[in-house]
């Protein structure tokens, strides 16, 4: 692992990864396995870590890919159909229900960027934990795992209507929470 990452920091990253994996998989042992696989993959490929992103970001990208691979192995992926998103005008999400780039930490400038980005994600995580568990899981599947509506519906055994209602409610609650705290 990179020299500047302490054992304590690795443990904290692992705990966050485990929390994320459990939210997505609803299975503690499977979450543990995928986090472990992500760390093994990172150890094997540490020479490919170019420090273009934070180590934590790199680790989460590996975990995200492990989770997506798991969903694909389960054979639950179906072809994505063209489904219109519910109209929900707001400032934090665009018409397709994805982050509005004007409100992501990537748009922050110079020296303040890192501080604001860290603060934003702490506030976001706080807001996310206030959502009902299923809403949070579905939102994370859509926004962080980039799964399609069909993939999420198949995995969660939902109708597309139910999925869109759940995402709409999650976005509204997150927008309300973020508006109060930012």
């Amino acid at each position: 692992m990179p020299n500047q990452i302490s054992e304590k920091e690795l443990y904290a990253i692992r705990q966050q990864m485990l929390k994320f994996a459990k939210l997505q998989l609803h299975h503690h042992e499977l979450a543990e396995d995928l986090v472990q696989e992500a760390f093994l993959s990172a150890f094997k490929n540490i020479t490919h870590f170019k420090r273009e992103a934070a180590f934590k970001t790199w680790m989460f990208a590996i975990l995200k890919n492990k989770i997506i691979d798991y969903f694909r192995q389960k054979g639950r992926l179906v072809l994505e159909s063209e489904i219109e998103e519910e109209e929900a005008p707001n400032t934090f999400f665009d018409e397709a229900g994805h982050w509005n780039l004007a409100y992501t930490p990537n748009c922050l400038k110079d020296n303040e960027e890192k501080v604001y980005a860290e603060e934003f994600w702490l506030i976001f995580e706080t807001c996310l934990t206030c959502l009902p568990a299923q809403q949070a899981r579905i939102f994370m599947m859509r926004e962080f795992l980039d799964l399609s509506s069909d993939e999420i519906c198949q995995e969660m055994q939902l109708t597309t209507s139910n999925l869109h209602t759940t995402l709409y409610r999650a976005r509204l609650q997150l927008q309300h929470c973020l508006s109060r705290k930012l």
Side-chain angles (χ1 to χ4, degrees):
M1 291 291 142
N3 294 340
Q4 65 268 34
I5 304 293
S6 71
E7 192 173 318
K8 184 177 179 180
E9 290 169 315
L10 280 175
Y11 179 77
I13 291 170
R14 184 188 180 286
Q15 292 304 106
Q16 292 168 356
M17 290 170 67
L18 189 56
K19 183 178 177 182
F20 175 77
K22 280 195 257 183
L23 177 67
Q24 295 306 314
L25 302 166
H26 280 264
H27 191 272
H28 179 75
E29 289 80 14
L30 180 58
E32 286 274 357
D33 288 346
L34 292 181
V35 169
Q36 188 66 24
E37 284 183 29
F39 269 93
L40 285 172
S41 182
F43 276 116
K44 289 178 185 175
N45 297 298
I46 195 66
T47 57
H48 298 295
F49 178 57
K50 296 180 172 70
R51 292 178 173 76
E52 292 171 354
F55 180 73
K56 177 179 172 181
T57 304
W58 185 64
M59 289 298 301
F60 266 86
I62 294 170
L63 177 60
K64 174 184 163 183
N65 289 330
K66 296 288 181 189
I67 292 171
I68 290 170
D69 288 346
Y70 168 75
F71 285 140
R72 287 186 179 140
Q73 283 181 332
K74 284 178 38 175
R76 292 193 171 186
L77 294 184
V78 294
L79 294 176
E80 182 176 355
S81 62
E82 295 297 320
I83 300 171
E84 286 188 31
E85 291 285 332
E86 291 182 36
E87 291 185 31
N90 62 56
T91 54
F92 290 106
F93 303 98
D94 65 17
E95 299 81 36
H98 296 286
W99 287 109
N100 182 339
L101 295 179
Y103 288 92
T104 61
N106 298 344
C107 297
L108 302 174
K109 303 285 183 202
D110 303 323
N111 297 337
E112 298 177 35
E113 182 176 323
K114 185 175 180 182
V115 173
Y116 285 131
E118 288 174 9
E119 181 179 322
F120 173 85
W121 289 116
L122 287 173
I123 293 169
F124 175 79
E125 186 175 344
T126 300
C127 290
L128 188 64
T129 59
C130 293
L131 291 178
Q134 180 152 338
Q135 275 186 3
R137 182 176 185 213
I138 289 170
F139 180 82
M140 296 291 281
M141 291 172 95
R142 177 60 161 249
E143 292 300 323
F144 289 92
L145 297 179
D146 293 323
L147 296 177
S148 70
S149 294
D150 287 344
E151 293 168 327
I152 297 168
C153 287
Q154 184 72 22
E155 178 62 30
M156 298 298 294
Q157 299 178 349
L158 298 171
T159 65
T160 54
S161 176
N162 193 329
L163 169 67
H164 291 215
T165 300
T166 302
L167 285 170
Y168 175 76
R169 289 177 180 162
R171 289 181 192 120
L172 283 179
Q173 289 179 34
L174 285 171
Q175 181 178 350
H176 179 72
C177 181
L178 289 169
S179 295
R180 285 186 327 203
K181 297 184 186 287
L182 288 179

